[in-house]
């Protein structure tokens, strides 16, 4: 639902069959006999689907239970989890819509004659994005059927370490966190924004996570008034120098930021507008403004409470509610495994869940002993100025190795496509964080600029293989590209020299 993340928990009983209890059997008319499975997966997100299909291909009898709790606004979706329905896919498509708007502005300076004014139609974009997502929902169902995985539209929970029960719509319990008065009644979340039939208009986005900044970014990019309310810092857990560059760019792009502010209440006025009141910690005052929409992007909580884990003794992190897992994704109770967003300390990223799920399936089927490697996982924040990274932030590298134990190579560069368009490139930046001694093994790579995801993915293989700074210098760049600036970087922060790239 609105404030919960899908989770992927896999359950296997070794050589024995799984028994689905009577409650599940009642709600599943086409299941007959003993309803036994080798593997039951709760959660039909990317990781759960990958694990179930991999296990089925390896000869296990598999069932997937997936249930979508509607958001407070009634938004619901199909099979595929957060990434497909309310995350990566619709987010990237709407980000692309915003980039096309910027490209139209650039086009005029490259000689394109665009008559009249250009405006954006939300409904056209929403229809196209939603139709694509629905096609993915259908595709996932077909794939499960083709691979002989039983799909059950039920909310699963554990009865014991060998039994799972499922509830259908008639037995559902809607759960919601209310952050401030009026939040539940009048606010929407990232679950809803991608499925709105009409434009959200002037929008307040509460939170400073990557989801918050991405949503505010594409709203600004399609010429809507967007404001981000930040309680403390932006992009917590990411490199903070880069986070500053990203938000600086967004402010110049047209996104408004309310720093050190916390919402207190949301009220609907007679005009239909939403009046938001907040406390400004910087000034000590109470402030207010009106908006057409309030988007809550304050993070997702794991749905561990409804799984019945407390009855079985599965250990959770009391603060986060996530399941404590070992390197092999096992929990504190035999036969119960957890992977994906629900695992404590695991990256909340689709590709890691997919890979972890496949590897778990292979281990459970006895085909492999390989464990998931969670080090140096690359990712990208699709803000107006994209930010790609992998490995350690500068802060974390200093914490682990000491300030004198690392060397930071960095550069400010100007993408060629920014030149004729006369776009500000002052936040286009890269840094390569290395061990200072020995072979100068690369500890982290951070890059802001066009196509940051593509750039970062390209370097990910080398860094995963233990690339050093010397390897970077030995690599020939592709000219003219933004990515070539990474293999040319030579100025260290320690030197204090100007890191601005000039010429080729």
């Amino acid at each position: 639902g609105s404030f919960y993340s899908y989770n992927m928990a896999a359950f296997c009983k070794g050589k024995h069959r799984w028994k689905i209890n009577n409650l599940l059997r009642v709600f599943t008319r086409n299941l007959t006999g003993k309803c036994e499975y080798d593997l039951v997966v709760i959660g039909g997100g990317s990781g759960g689907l990958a694990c179930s299909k991999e296990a089925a291909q390896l000869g296990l009898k598999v069932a997937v239970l997936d249930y979508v709790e509607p958001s407070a606004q009634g938004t619901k979706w199909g099979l595929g989890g957060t990434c497909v329905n309310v995350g990566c896919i619709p987010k990237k498509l709407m980000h692309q819509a915003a980039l096309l708007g910027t490209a139209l502005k650039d086009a005029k300076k490259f000689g394109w004659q665009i008559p009249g004014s250009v405006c954006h139609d939300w409904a056209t974009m929403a229809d196209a994005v939603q139709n694509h997502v629905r096609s993915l929902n259908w595709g996932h169902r077909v794939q499960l059927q083709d691979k002989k995985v039983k799909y059950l539209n039920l909310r699963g929970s554990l009865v014991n370490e060998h039994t799972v029960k499922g509830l259908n719509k008639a037995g559902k319990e809607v759960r919601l966190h209310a952050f401030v008065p009026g939040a539940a009644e009048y606010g929407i979340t990232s679950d809803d924004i991608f499925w709105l039939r009409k434009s959200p208009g002037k929008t307040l986005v509460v939170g400073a996570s990557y989801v918050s900044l991405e949503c505010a970014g594409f709203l600004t990019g399609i010429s809507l008034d967007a404001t981000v309310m930040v309680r403390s810092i932006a992009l917590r857990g990411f490199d903070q120098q880069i986070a500053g560059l990203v938000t600086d760019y967004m402010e110049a792009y047209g996104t408004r930021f309310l720093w050190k502010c916390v919402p207190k209440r949301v009220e609907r006025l007679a005009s239909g507008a939403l009046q938001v009141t907040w406390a400004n910690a910087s000034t000590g005052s109470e402030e207010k403004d009106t908006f057409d929409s309030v988007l809550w992007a304050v993070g997702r909580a794991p749905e561990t409470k409804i799984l019945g884990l407390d009855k079985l003794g599965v250990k959770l992190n009391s603060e986060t509610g996530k399941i404590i897992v070992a390197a092999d994704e096992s929990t504190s109770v035999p036969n119960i495994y957890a992977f994906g967003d629900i695992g404590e300390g695991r990256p909340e990223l689709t590709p890691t869940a997919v890979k972890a799920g496949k590897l778990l399936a292979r281990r459970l089927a006895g085909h492999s002993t390989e464990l998931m490697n969670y080090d140096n996982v690359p990712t990208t924040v699709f803000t107006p100025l994209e930010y790609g990274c992998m490995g350690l932030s500068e802060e974390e590298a200093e914490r682990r190795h000491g300030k004198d134990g690392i060397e930071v190579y960095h550069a400010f560069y100007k993408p060629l496509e920014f030149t004729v368009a006369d776009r500000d490139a002052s936040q286009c930046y890269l840094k390569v964080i290395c061990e200072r001694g020995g072979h100068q093994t690369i500890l982290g790579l951070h890059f802001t600029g066009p196509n940051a995801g593509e750039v970062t993915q390209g370097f990910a293989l080398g860094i995963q293989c233990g690339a050093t700074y010397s390897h970077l210098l030995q690599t020939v760049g592709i000219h003219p590209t933004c990515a070539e600036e990474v293999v040319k970087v030579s100025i260290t922060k320690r030197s204090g020299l100007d890191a601005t790239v000039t010429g080729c």
Side-chain angles (χ1 to χ4, degrees), residues 46-166:
S46 302
L49 293 176
C51 179
S52 62
K53 290 185 289 186
E54 187 75 9
Q57 285 186 304
L58 295 173
L60 300 184
K61 186 178 180 182
V62 184
V64 172
L65 279 67
D66 187 64
Y67 185 85
V68 178
E69 198 79 70
S71 74
Q73 303 304 319
T75 303
K76 55 185 179 180
W77 51 87
L79 185 63
T82 299
C83 173
V84 167
N85 295 283
V86 292
C88 313
I89 300 301
K91 175 270 302 289
K92 182 69 182 291
L93 291 173
M94 291 189 177
H95 172 62
Q96 176 65 11
L99 293 180
L100 290 172
T102 300
L104 284 173
K105 297 174 184 176
D106 289 352
K108 295 180 180 179
K109 295 190 177 181
F110 278 91
W112 285 97
Q113 301 300 308
I114 303 175
S117 60
V118 178
C119 62
H120 183 267
D121 181 66
W122 177 278
T124 299
M125 176 188 69
D127 282 344
V129 171
Q130 291 163 16
N131 286 337
H132 178 67
V133 170
R134 290 189 183 98
S135 73
L136 296 178
N137 297 148
W138 176 251
H140 283 309
R141 296 190 67 164
V142 170
Q143 288 177 22
L144 290 180
Q145 184 175 352
D146 288 347
K147 297 187 186 307
K148 296 181 172 52
V149 175
K150 186 65 182 179
Y151 163 59
L152 304 171
N153 185 212
L154 302 170
R155 185 172 64 187
S157 61
L158 295 171
V159 176
N160 56 48
E161 69 271 28
H162 301 308
T163 308
V164 174
K165 72 176 180 180

Side-chain angles (χ1 to χ4, degrees), residues 302 315-317 319-327 329 338-349 352 372-377 400:
K315 291 183 179 179
L316 307 178
N317 181 311
E319 293 184 3
T320 65
K322 293 190 174 187
I323 300 173
I324 297 173
V325 290
E329 323 302 344
F339 61 97
D341 294 5
I342 201 171
E344 178 61 34
R346 300 304 195 220
E348 295 184 2
L349 299 169
T352 55
M372 175 66 187
N373 181 0
Y374 289 99
D375 292 331
N376 291 325
V377 173
R400 295 190 188 186

Side-chain angles (χ1 to χ4, degrees), residues 435-491:
E435 290 182 350
R436 193 177 182 192
H439 298 291
Q440 288 194 291
T441 299
I442 298 174
L443 303 172
L445 170 66
H446 302 265
F447 180 96
T448 60
N451 306 302
E454 309 295 343
V455 172
T456 308
Q457 183 70 82
F459 285 102
L461 174 62
I463 296 176
Q464 187 65 47
C465 292
T468 66
Y469 178 64
S470 295
H471 289 138
L472 271 192
L473 297 185
Q474 294 166 18
T475 303
V476 177
I478 301 172
H479 187 69
T481 64
C482 295
E484 72 173 316
E485 302 301 340
V486 177
V487 302
K488 291 164 52 181
V489 66
S490 60
I491 302 297

Side-chain angles (χ1 to χ4, degrees), residues 384-451:
L385 183 70
E386 296 179 5
Y387 166 29
C389 63
M390 69 177 301
L392 304 181
S393 65
E394 187 172 347
E395 293 88 351
E396 182 62 19
E398 280 192 14
R399 189 185 71 80
R400 295 190 188 186
H401 300 273
K403 193 173 183 66
D404 292 332
I406 63 173
E407 198 72 87
V408 181
Y409 297 88
H410 67 148
F412 287 93
Y413 69 98
K414 187 163 190 174
L416 184 62
E417 51 266 52
F418 279 28
T419 55
V420 173
D422 195 28
R423 290 173 60 185
D424 180 19
S426 56
Q427 285 85 33
C428 291
Y429 176 77
L430 67 93
K431 70 164 76 170
V432 181
I433 305 165
C434 306
E435 290 182 350
R436 193 177 182 192
H439 298 291
Q440 288 194 291
T441 299
I442 298 174
L443 303 172
L445 170 66
H446 302 265
F447 180 96
T448 60
N451 306 302

